[in-house]
Amino acid sequence: MTMAATIDKAGPRRKKKLRSMSHDRKWALRWSYFFLTLFAIFFLFPPLYTVITSLKTSGEISAAVNPWWVYHPTLSNYKELLGSSQFLRFFLNSAMVSICVVIITMLISIPAAFALARMKFWGSATLATGVFLTYLIPDSLLFIPLFKMFAVFHDYTGIQLLNHWYVLVVVYPTLTVPFATWIMIGYFASIPKELDEAAIMDGATWMQTLLRIFVPVALPGIIAATIFAFTVSWAQFLYPLAFTTTTSELVLPVGIITTLIKGDVFNWGQIMTGALLSAAPPLIIYAFLMDYYISGLTAGATKG
Amino acid sequence: MADVAINTTSRSAKAGSRARPVSGVRKFFQKKSTVAFFMALPLILLIAILVVYPALYSIHLATLNKSMQRYVGFGNFTFLFTRETFWMVVRQSCLFAITAVIFKAIIGFVAAHFVHNVPANKQRKWRGMLLVPWVVPPAMSTLTWLWLFDPSYSAFNWILAHFSIGPIPWTGDTGWARFAVILVNIWAGAPFFLILYLAALKSVPEQLYEAAAIDGCNWWQRVWFITLPMMRNIIAITALFSLIVTFANFDIVRILTAGGPLDSTHLFATWAFKLGIESSDIPLGASVSLFMFPILAIAAIFILRDINQRGNEAS
């Protein structure tokens, strides 16, 4: 700016204007930080309050002191929950369900996305639209017919799916596969056609083309889809609430809500600890793989 | 051009096979479209069995009586129309979805602007912090809100008591309970808008703003005449998406108020759950959840039209 002032012969007026512009900029930046701090407080105080409460004894929680401060921090809630076989069972169920669902999702959506993006066949365009429409159908529209379907399925085959954790492995793919396929179609479509043509020319089969070329090249997309599938199946609440009731078959969110809330007695310290522990896996993934997480979110318009 | 190349190879392969007869079945299985079909088959089966079939099945269920032995036609629907609670659910669902989506969009838009304003190397940190509500499973964060709204130990009321306001019955009073569920939904959903709007803001060419600055536009004019028109598409599509998801919301209302007080905060999803699963009147529950269908269909049509338009522009 001093350069501009020395070179510029127009005199003080120009100089003043330049300074006022940078001055404006500085103030705009200050205001941005101010409002961002307000937004951050709004978005972050509930998680923070979860942490605060999880560090309190039930005596301190019911005492008439400042609820936003921990006077006698203790880890007893964590010890108690992590030592309870029931809570570990919920954690295990959640992990098993989520991992199975992620594997199934990838096995279904990667070949399907490849077929839809690269190998046109009769009805493939309709199917791509159909996948997208499926993604728009919410869980709350399907849980009642699915519930009845599983009951009828039991009557016919004798296989009881309801009330077992693996029923969730059957239904969760309906939530994860359409969007994962949609992300993968986008990623596959961005891969240059010359690459697979060269492979086909060299005599590779379609399956080899997919596994040796598309999967490695589209790995960021696959990671994004995996994270998406994992977080969706980890957070899902309606299906487990409707389909499972036996305590040993529950997954984390439902388990915490049905076992830690006994009648009207709320053991808030433990509930908050449970909430925090069950929010931890998605948060850890998010902390380390934020860019993949966000690219999955912005790839195609998403749910929200 | 590339397609031609592949076609010629497949044609020459076909010619070769004509010379050296290969069994018809094997040829069928090597055809590109057959391979593609089998690759997509698991997806087709999944959608057909676990999405399309249940959707049609719920229409069938909605026409049965409570014990599911007798066909009652539109009996369930006419029964619902006579219930005052049903109309309350309709009103509350619309109020909930529309208010929440508008506020989520506004907060997301404003916050995206502020994030966009700060230097690029600091944006990551802010974006990371502001997206946390979206990452936490909604059922878990709603538990925290339930605790914040607790009738006797509400941490909000503790603060408000210093200004001699309250205590406010956050989940006990109809008006406040409606406010509470909308607030939690806004809190959980706004970061999603923030991220998408931020991505859209980055795609607006900087030259447009420079030209506007030279023409002497103020901040408001820049937003109104450049940012909004440039982002129109993404704003529309995000709002429609969010409208669907918010309309079909279950977790937040279920945990925060379970529909109470006096069914005043029930949405279609929570009321259908209460009738269908808890009171085991599956046909009535199915009928209630079917009412979500029209709004879904309308939103889906608009979204599809928008996506097709974008596809046409791109090609």
Side-chain angles (χ1 to χ4, degrees), chain A residues 50 53 140 197 278 286 291 304, chain B residues 2 124 128 140 144 147 192 242 248:
Chain A
T50 316
T53 310
S140 40
E197 276 152 18
S278 68
Y286 170 69
D291 293 325
Chain B
R124 214 182 120 82
M140 297 298 98
T144 306
W147 169 221
F192 166 77
S242 182

Side-chain angles (χ1 to χ4, degrees), chain B residues 215-231:
Chain B
D215 289 347
C217 285
N218 59 26
W219 178 83
W220 179 245
Q221 285 168 322
R222 285 205 299 270
V223 170
W224 190 253
F225 291 112
I226 299 175
T227 316
L228 279 177
M230 289 299 285
M231 285 173 60

Side-chain angles (χ1 to χ4, degrees), chain B residues 14 22 26 29 40 43 68 96 108 144 210 214 226 243 247 286:
Chain B
K14 238 181 251 170
V22 181
R26 203 173 143 198
F29 277 108
L43 173 76
M68 285 183 281
F96 175 81
T144 306
E210 283 162 14
I214 289 167
I226 299 175
L243 194 65
F247 203 75

